């Protein structure tokens, strides 16, 4: 049984390939503001076009909640895709209608059809089997290349995979799984860096990696919660109060393998661009100040740890990197990650904001793998499976 697009070796000329892509891209003033996800879909689309297939594309965009919303139309994506791939991309403003089915039969040689946002339909997110049946009429076989939504069983990801046969993985999903699978048994020493906002969002991932990692470097607001659990005064820092006990448990379990910041960058006000900013030891946080990045001593320490590893997984920025004053913790870690990649280490970044931070630092090319999926990447790394995968009957992990 075929499992990936590349296993389809027969003659595919004239076949309609129904492809679930992840075009959940930022739109601003009617234009696509970041084409990363469109770029990531091109290898699969080109593979299909090269074999004379007719790609019919389904995607969601944002959270319209099952009702049409013109602000979340995929129409601007059709133009951006046409520019990128150099083919004609027809857009039809529905994906569940006789019109969409006829359009799928009218695709010209070398052309592509993009259909409207699947989440305009009430049956999409609850994986309505009748909707999946109707979506199945749009193609002759199914390709799931929407890595960013593989952790959800929706009509256009899981349901339709049961209706169409073969139902296979696209090249992007295949590449993602290959890179992330290595983390099940990574080359040692294996170092993990965790940051970002919340512990509670990521407890499964934390638990899974706690047993696998030789060292865990903690930063970001997540570190604030750990520091609070150790009894430090955290002032006005973002601390997840409900997770302080959990943090204390994790510290007990992991012992010295967990590394917390020794110093932090603090500010008297996160919102005020001219507020006071200082570097302080973690036991010296002034009253009311908030910790917003790791400090220089911690940066050096984390860089040293990183330089000793053979593999590295990173989720969650080390600080409030969206503010140019607080990028250094995150960017310095990204620079070291690129350096060790250059020397042969395997480096993987997962998580929406983490990937954005690495790209903002201009270092994405220097990392072994920057995942296009946030939740999906984290779920795959922690559980080794994904609902969108199990739906592809032929796939075995
Ligand atoms: P990812 O999307 O990579 O999984 P998260 O969503 O968990 O990462 O966290 C990213 C967010 O955490 C960013 O918006 C960042 O500004 C915020 N953040 C990181 N450190 C801090 C901090 N010290 N204080 C407040 N917010 C922080
Ligand atoms: Mg995020």
């Amino acid at each position: 049984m075929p499992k990936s697009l590349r296993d389809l070796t027969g003659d595919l000329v004239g076949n309609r390939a129904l492809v679930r892509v992840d075009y959940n891209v930022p739109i601003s003033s009617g234009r696509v503001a970041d084409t990363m996800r469109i770029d990531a879909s091109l290898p699969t689309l080109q593979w299909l076009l090269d074999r004379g297939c007719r790609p019919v594309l389904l995607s969601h965009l944002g959270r319209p909640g099952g009702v049409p919303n013109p602000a979340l139309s995929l129409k601007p994506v059709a133009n951006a895709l046409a520019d990128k791939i150099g083919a004609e991309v027809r857009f039809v403003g529905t994906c569940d209608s006789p019109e969409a089915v006829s359009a799928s039969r009218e695709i010209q040689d070398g052309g592509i059809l993009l259909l409207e946002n699947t989440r305009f339909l009430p049956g999409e997110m609850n994986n309505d089997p009748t909707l999946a049946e109707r979506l199945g009429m749009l193609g002759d076989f199914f390709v799931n290349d929407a890595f960013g939504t593989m952790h959800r069983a929706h009509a256009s990801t899981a349901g339709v995979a049961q209706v169409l046969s073969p139902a296979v993985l696209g090249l992007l999903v295949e590449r993602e799984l290959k890179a992330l699978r290595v983390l099940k048994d990574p080359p040692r020493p294996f170092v993990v860096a965790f940051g970002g906002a919340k512990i509670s969002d990521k407890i499964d991932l934390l638990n899974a990696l706690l047993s696998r990692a030789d060292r865990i470097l903690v930063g970001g607001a997540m570190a604030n919660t750990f520091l609070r659990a150790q009894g430090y005064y955290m002032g006005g820092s973002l601390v997840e109060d409900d997770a302080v006990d959990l943090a204390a448990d994790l510290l007990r379990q992991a012992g010295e393998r967990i590394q917390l910041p020794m110093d932090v960058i603090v500010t008297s006000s996160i919102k005020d661009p001219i507020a006071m900013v200082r570097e302080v030891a973690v036991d010296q946080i002034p009253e009311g100040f908030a910790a917003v990045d790791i400090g220089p001593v911690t940066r050096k320490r984390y860089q040293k740890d990183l330089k000793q590893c053979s593999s590295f997984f990173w989720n969650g920025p080390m600080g409030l990197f969206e503010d140019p004053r607080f990028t250094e913790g995150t960017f310095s870690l990204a620079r070291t990650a690129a350096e060790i990649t250059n020397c042969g280490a395997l480096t993987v970044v997962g998580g929406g904001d983490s990937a954005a931070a690495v790209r903002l630092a201009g270092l994405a090319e220097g990392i072994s793998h920057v995942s296009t999926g946030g939740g999906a990447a984290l779920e795959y790394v922690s559980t080794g499976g994904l609902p969108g995968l199990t739906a592809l009957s032929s796939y075995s992990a």
Side-chain angles (χ1 to χ4, degrees):
M1 279 289 276
K3 58 180 186 181
S4 137
L5 197 52
R6 280 183 295 165
D7 295 312
L8 300 180
T9 48
D11 181 10
L12 297 172
V13 174
N15 276 274
R16 294 169 306 154
L18 182 63
V19 190
R20 177 57 159 95
V21 285
D22 178 8
Y23 288 163
N24 184 24
V25 295
I27 305 272
S28 121
S29 315
R31 294 182 70 88
V32 177
D34 179 347
T35 60
M36 184 204 40
R37 285 184 160 156
I38 297 177
D39 296 332
S41 74
L42 298 180
T44 286
L45 300 184
Q46 197 58 56
W47 191 99
L48 292 165
L49 291 175
D50 289 347
R51 282 156 187 79
C53 290
R54 303 191 168 151
V56 178
L57 312 185
L58 291 176
S59 178
H60 77 284
L61 174 62
R63 297 166 186 250
V67 288
N69 174 348
L72 296 175
S73 170
L74 280 165
K75 188 150 195 284
V77 175
N79 302 330
L81 174 60
D83 283 349
K84 290 272 179 186
I85 200 159
E88 194 187 316
V89 180
R90 180 177 173 199
F91 176 76
V92 168
T94 152
C95 61
D96 180 23
S97 66
E99 188 197 352
V101 177
S102 340
S104 75
R105 298 194 186 286
E106 288 159 9
I107 300 173
Q108 303 296 309
D109 283 347
I112 293 175
L113 173 66
L114 173 65
L115 300 173
E116 187 54 290
N117 194 339
T118 52
R119 289 198 191 164
F120 286 0
L121 305 171
E124 164 70 337
M125 289 184 67
N126 55 24
N127 197 5
D128 174 2
T130 60
L131 173 61
E133 283 286 338
R134 294 195 301 277
L135 294 177
M137 293 178 349
L138 296 162
D140 300 313
F141 67 98
F142 179 64
V143 182
N144 192 343
D145 212 20
F147 184 69
T149 49
M150 291 291 267
H151 58 319
R152 309 267 183 248
H154 293 165
S156 71
T157 61
V160 72
Q162 252 118 39
V163 174
L164 282 178
S165 177
V168 296
L169 305 175
L171 304 183
L172 168 65
V173 171
E174 203 182 18
R175 185 163 62 85
E176 289 272 7
L177 296 179
K178 190 168 165 232
L180 297 173
R181 200 181 290 136
V182 181
L183 299 175
K184 283 185 184 173
D185 186 15
R188 296 194 176 274
F190 175 42
V191 171
V192 171
F194 269 125
K198 288 185 171 180
I199 294 180
S200 56
D201 277 356
K202 297 179 178 167
I203 185 65
D204 292 340
L205 183 68
L206 272 164
N207 276 326
L209 291 181
L210 216 53
S211 55
R212 274 178 242 168
D214 297 298
R215 179 134 288 182
I216 300 150
L217 315 175
V218 186
M222 181 182 281
N224 297 343
T225 305
F226 278 104
L227 290 168
R228 167 73 60 79
Q230 286 195 324
Y232 290 106
Y233 169 73
M234 295 310 294
S237 308
L238 181 61
V239 171
E240 197 181 355
D241 290 318
D242 294 346
V244 173
D245 290 344
L246 194 63
D249 278 348
L250 290 168
L251 284 171
R252 267 193 294 276
Q253 271 177 54
E256 304 210 321
R257 285 182 300 134
I258 288 201
Q259 196 75 49
L260 297 180
M262 288 153 282
D263 61 341
V264 284
I265 309 291
V266 292
T267 177
S268 55
S269 162
I270 288 178
K271 296 215 173 73
D272 179 358
I274 54 161
M276 258 188 293
V277 174
R278 288 193 209 155
E279 297 169 3
V280 296
V282 289
D283 60 356
Q284 300 291 321
I285 296 176
E287 201 178 331
F289 276 58
V292 284
D293 198 4
I294 55 175
V297 178
T298 310
R299 288 200 299 263
K300 275 216 182 75
R301 174 67 203 259
Y302 286 7
Q303 286 175 312
K304 189 163 160 252
D305 281 326
L306 215 56
K307 283 185 180 157
Q308 287 162 357
C309 77
S310 299
S311 58
F312 175 55
F313 176 72
W314 180 10
N315 169 252
M318 292 289 107
L320 230 165
F321 76 98
E322 294 90 340
D323 185 319
R325 294 172 300 166
F326 312 128
T327 55
E328 196 44 30
T330 303
F331 284 12
S332 66
L333 202 68
R335 281 195 297 272
T336 312
E339 259 172 54
I340 63 167
T341 314
N342 205 20
C343 297
L346 172 89
T347 54
V348 177
V349 175
D353 293 292
S354 313
V358 168
R359 280 188 284 134
L360 189 65
L363 291 165
E365 301 299 320
I367 308 289
S368 312
H369 183 70
V370 180
S371 180
T372 55
L378 304 192
E379 184 164 329
Y380 186 68
V381 171
S382 50
T383 68
L386 286 168
L389 275 185
T390 26
L392 301 173
S393 49
S394 52
Y395 186 83
S396 62

